Amino acid sequence: MRAPLYLQPRLEPPLTSLLDAVPFLHSLVDGLGSPLNVLLPDRIAENAERFRAVYRKHHLTGRVFFAHKANRSSALVRRLAATGPAEVGIDVASLGELRHVLGAGFTPDRVMGTGPKDPEFLWLAARTGTTVNVDSHSELDQLADLVRKYALPRVHVLLRLAEFETAAGSGVKVLSRRSRFGSPPGEVKALLDAVERHRDAVELIGVGYHLDTTGLAEKAVALERCVMVMDECHARGLAPRVIDIGGGFGVGYVADAGQWARYTTELTNAVLGTRPALTWRGHGYGLRNEGGTLRGALGLYPAHRPSVGPGYLDDLLSLPSRSLGRPLGTVLLEQLYELYTEPGRALVDQCGLTLARVLDVRSTGTGPPLARLGMNAGDVSLEEHGVLVDPVLLPRTESSRAEKSEEDNPAGVDVHLVGNLCLEADLITRRTVFLPRLPRPGDLLAFANTAGYAMDFHAHAAQRQPIARKVAVVQDGDAWRWCLDEEYWPITYPGGVVS
Ligand SMILES: *Cc1c(COP(=O)(O)O)cnc(C)c1O
């Protein structure tokens, strides 16, 4: 019998102890319904501290801005608002997010507005003294007009740059992917002219980028380009002091490098037909078999990576600059530039999980059985982001927990996880999932590490299926306490931990 192709999740405290609290998690779903999102607000503060430690290692000042769009939670934002005010900020990408963070306790000097902006968003940012990360020349003009028209205070701005290229060793151009955001190199001169023209309305504090890639080399090229644009600014008599390197530090979802390597190899074999299918209807995740030749590219998130999150930031800052030879972190330090980062996914690493009840398990004529869950693909959008990782099975009853080890099948069982929509395409994942045993109705499946983009980004109310509630949980000695996400505040009442 073939060995099961597990992709077991990387789990760290406090997520590990939360997953051990099986009756507690069942009682939450019994009371609040399936699906249910559970957040660990204390962990986001810990993650921010880990990023800060990398700043300290490289002797850099500046700020870590949480990219709010990764999760709508209030608990996470309020918990972060309570951390080292000078060092941790928040990046908002809509009017709604800006209003939310101001109400969660972030003072405007800790807030930065990025992304596409409507006039109301720009007005509230300018009115409150929020920094604006300017996406384009026209946005800068619009902001300056608003400031003058409504007699608003002068706004701190950063300029977002895009489309970076350089002469690599062989003379080959390395071009970062096209982006709909940011100003390309050809526009920088005109942009700086506009900054000078709008001096009465805006103050340039820095330049930056956000690249939606895991490529370290691409980011190093972009950082160097920012240093050059800073030089241009200073030559003009402008005085920016910040370089903002955006987000995209990444998360490791799968614990074991070997499992990940085996899975991707076997997936390739399955696409080539040299082993049985590993997916619903032979889906290839971007790979296809053309007459025995493998074509296409694997469109999966690299779920196991040696360096993610703060470690990835450390690697980037340690990389030698192509033009100056010294590490990029040293280049920033020499110029006394402040470093801004905007981690989204990486800052909510290990900050939560999504629970779903198993409703039905049925065998099919051919292929693995179907386990139908009290959730749909929009409720846990790991698949949407190409993240493949196993859920954790949480048996319903004490007896099934006790039997667990006897029932566990060394070969594992393979199942397809299907959702609660009346729709063929509603699969939680198209991957055939291996579990230690077949789940039973009433069991829970816990999808770990879903706080980054997987909880609410794609959730919808189709078919009037319930949208997952969110709860925040805090460990209190051996016990867990919970509250609705919107009821969480980072305070303790006299007499013990309440929230
Ligand atoms: C989405 C986004 C981020 C966060 O990206 P992650 O990959 O989640 O770290 C940061 N900055 C900007 C401008 C973004 O759009």
Side-chain angles (χ1 to χ4, degrees):
M1 187 162 260
R2 287 173 189 275
L5 289 169
Y6 290 128
L7 291 174
Q8 284 158 327
R10 188 178 57 83
L11 300 171
E12 290 177 10
L15 202 49
T16 35
S17 17
L18 180 61
L19 280 164
D20 285 341
V22 179
F24 172 66
L25 294 176
H26 271 278
S27 73
L28 285 179
V29 175
D30 287 348
L32 297 160
S34 171
L36 182 71
N37 287 316
V38 185
L39 292 158
L40 292 154
D42 287 338
R43 176 69 198 225
I44 197 173
E46 210 180 305
N47 289 347
E49 176 48 32
R50 290 179 193 199
F51 270 92
R52 294 300 313 166
V54 178
Y55 277 61
R56 286 195 297 273
K57 179 181 166 192
H58 292 268
H59 310 287
L60 293 172
T61 58
R63 207 175 251 167
V64 179
F65 291 83
F66 169 49
H68 187 350
K69 77 166 188 275
N71 200 301
R72 290 166 55 92
S73 161
S74 293
L76 293 178
V77 171
R78 290 172 189 166
R79 181 64 187 84
L80 210 55
T83 63
E87 297 167 344
V88 180
I90 194 153
D91 158 1
V92 292
S94 70
L95 177 67
E97 286 186 357
L98 177 56
R99 295 170 67 180
H100 183 219
V101 307
L102 294 173
F106 274 98
T107 47
D109 58 307
R110 296 171 70 190
V111 185
M112 172 161 59
T114 62
K117 304 174 194 76
D118 46 41
E120 295 79 4
F121 182 20
L122 286 174
W123 182 88
L124 187 61
R127 180 65 273 168
T128 54
T130 293
T131 298
V132 176
N133 197 321
V134 172
D135 199 34
S136 66
H137 194 153
S138 60
E139 189 177 287
L140 183 65
D141 290 342
Q142 198 188 358
L143 176 63
D145 288 349
L146 274 174
V147 169
R148 294 186 192 110
K149 183 169 174 193
Y150 299 103
L152 299 170
R154 199 161 168 242
V155 184
H156 284 179
V157 297
L158 289 148
L159 302 178
R160 177 164 170 184
L161 310 178
E163 291 177 27
F164 302 92
E165 55 184 316
T166 184
S170 58
V172 180
K173 296 276 181 184
V174 176
L175 186 71
S176 61
R177 269 183 291 177
R178 287 290 300 279
S179 167
R180 54 175 279 224
F181 300 111
S183 302
E187 285 176 21
V188 169
K189 191 186 163 299
L191 196 58
L192 295 180
D193 290 345
V195 166
E196 290 180 342
R197 223 173 31 248
H198 294 314
R199 252 178 217 266
D200 60 311
V202 302
E203 180 185 345
L204 179 68
I205 67 158
V207 303
Y209 63 86
H210 166 71
L211 296 177
D212 188 15
T213 170
T214 55
L216 209 53
E218 244 176 86
K219 289 186 179 169
V221 165
L223 208 169
E224 286 199 59
R225 175 88 181 106
C226 287
V227 173
M228 286 162 61
V229 173
M230 292 287 272
D231 291 344
E232 255 176 274
C233 292
H234 288 120
R236 285 170 174 254
L238 297 164
R241 58 180 193 283
V242 172
I243 292 186
D244 180 349
I245 63 170
F249 300 95
V251 160
Y253 288 94
V254 168
D256 185 73
Q259 284 186 355
W260 179 247
R262 262 193 309 283
Y263 179 78
T264 45
T265 305
E266 290 299 320
L267 180 64
T268 307
N269 293 336
V271 170
L272 286 173
T274 58
R275 66 149 291 146
L278 278 173
T279 53
W280 177 254
R281 294 181 177 167
H283 179 70
Y285 287 108
L287 299 176
R288 57 186 194 280
N289 178 355
E290 280 181 16
T293 306
L294 194 68
R295 300 266 190 229
L298 198 58
L300 291 178
Y301 187 90
H304 181 90
R305 282 155 64 190
S307 162
V308 285
Y312 182 99
L313 174 62
D314 189 17
D315 289 352
L316 179 64
L317 295 174
S318 306
L319 219 58
S321 146
R322 282 169 202 252
S323 47
L324 303 165
R326 302 186 292 288
L328 290 166
T330 309
V331 173
L332 296 178
L333 180 63
E334 285 167 354
Q335 306 285 336
L336 299 178
Y337 289 156
E338 287 177 45
L339 177 69
Y340 281 12
T341 51
E342 305 166 1
R345 190 186 295 276
L347 216 60
V348 290
D349 182 27
Q350 300 287 319
C351 284
L353 53 81
T354 300
L355 297 170
R357 192 180 277 130
V358 177
L359 299 178
D360 178 43
V361 180
R362 61 168 147 148
S363 53
T364 56
T366 54
L370 303 180
R372 181 162 53 90
L373 306 184
M375 70 161 28
N376 58 63
D379 293 314
V380 62
S381 44
L382 292 168
E383 178 87 357
E384 174 81 26
H385 289 256
V387 175
L388 301 187
V389 59
D390 292 342
V392 179
L393 179 61
L394 306 176
R396 172 77 191 169
T397 58
E398 282 293 346
S399 68
S400 60
R401 281 197 287 282
E403 292 160 18
K404 189 170 168 267
S405 53
E406 292 136 54
E407 276 192 39
D408 283 3
N409 185 336
V413 295
D414 48 355
V415 293
H416 282 131
L417 304 179
V418 298
N420 60 11
L421 297 182
C422 189
L423 186 72
E424 282 289 354
D426 185 30
L427 274 83
I428 305 305
T429 170
R430 286 167 289 192
R431 182 174 65 98
T432 309
V433 172
F434 293 84
L435 294 172
R437 68 167 176 81
L438 204 58
R440 296 178 176 145
D443 289 347
L444 292 179
L445 289 185
F447 296 83
N449 217 352
T450 49
Y453 301 104
M455 281 187 178
D456 52 46
F457 211 94
H458 298 276
H460 54 73
Q463 270 183 245
R464 294 188 162 265
Q465 291 288 10
I467 289 189
R469 290 190 170 92
K470 276 197 178 81
V471 297
V473 298
V474 173
Q475 204 164 10
D476 179 16
D478 286 340
W480 285 93
R481 298 179 183 275
W482 71 274
C483 65
L484 290 172
D485 176 68
E486 62 268 30
E487 299 297 332
Y488 174 94
W489 288 95
I491 57 170
T492 308
Y493 282 85
V497 179
V498 170
S499 57

